[in-house]
Amino acid sequence: MMNDPARQALEALMEGNARFREGNPAHPRRDGRRRAETASGQRPFAAILSCADSRVPPEILFDQGIGDLFVVRAAGHVLDAAGLGSLEYAASHLGVPLVVVLGHTRCGAVEAVLAGGETCGSARFVVEAIRPSVERARLLGGDIRRDAVRENVAAAVSLVSSCEPVIAALVAAGSTAVVGAVYDVESGAVEIVG
Ligand SMILES: [Zn+2]
């Protein structure tokens, strides 16, 4: 269930993505005036959890500007306590009505898990967080690369929306919506999933 602000936020994101995808971006709200307007406080209309991949910059692919998006990024959009705490702050203190979990095609973090290679150091945290999604995707028996990305998005949507006590309560009250999406690094298109 999505309330009106969440629906409007999603519409604004998808309209911005259409402009970007069609090679007609407006580059809105990126000038000195906007900087001055937002200096005393932020009021973003959406939070985005996305991969750290350099080909997936949320402000560019959604054609938004300064103060529009509250963005949390990590490889494979893997969440830790800091990431969840950041999204919690966006939902409860900044009052964003919408959180978008944005996975993407050709995600190196997901493909590293698919390839099953050895990892060491802190990268292991990322790989182990993604592994259950890859295992679920294998069981589906379809296009494993596509399904692994989607399962990883679904897992993060579930983790964020059930995050107790704050976000889960906001989701239950209908104040915050959490949706999953996948960005295609070739076409530039964002598709809502799940
Ligand atoms: Zn990625």
Side-chain angles (χ1 to χ4, degrees), residues 51-53 55-56 74-77 103-110:
C51 184
D53 192 305
R55 300 166 296 177
V56 191
H77 58 72
H104 69 100
T105 59
R106 298 176 185 262
C107 181
V110 171

Side-chain angles (χ1 to χ4, degrees), residues 20-177:
F20 165 74
R21 191 177 71 227
E22 289 156 10
N24 187 30
H27 305 300
R29 299 175 294 282
R30 297 183 188 180
D31 55 5
R33 197 175 117 187
R34 178 64 165 176
R35 192 174 67 236
E37 236 170 53
T38 53
S40 58
Q42 59 170 327
R43 192 118 192 96
F45 70 85
I48 314 287
L49 170 65
S50 79
C51 184
D53 192 305
S54 60
R55 300 166 296 177
V56 191
E59 281 88 352
I60 294 178
L61 63 89
F62 285 122
D63 195 28
Q64 302 299 324
I66 293 169
D68 288 337
L69 306 179
F70 186 96
V71 178
V72 175
R73 299 180 72 175
H77 58 72
V78 165
L79 280 162
D80 57 10
L84 278 169
S86 302
L87 293 174
E88 189 176 294
Y89 175 77
S92 64
H93 284 78
L94 302 178
V96 301
L98 179 71
V99 179
V100 177
V101 175
L102 184 66
H104 69 100
T105 59
R106 298 176 185 262
C107 181
V110 171
E111 301 207 340
V113 179
L114 277 167
E118 284 297 301
T119 45
C120 58
S122 296
R124 184 170 297 172
F125 177 80
V126 173
V127 165
E128 292 311 321
I130 295 171
R131 196 185 303 283
S133 298
V134 169
E135 295 311 324
R136 273 195 302 280
R138 264 190 231 290
L139 295 175
L140 294 175
D143 179 342
I144 181 81
R145 295 172 81 210
R146 173 181 181 273
D147 291 342
V149 166
R150 285 166 181 248
E151 287 293 326
N152 194 38
V153 168
V157 167
S158 163
L159 191 59
V160 172
S161 48
S162 65
C163 183
E164 296 282 355
V166 179
I167 300 180
L170 291 168
V171 169
S175 319
T176 307

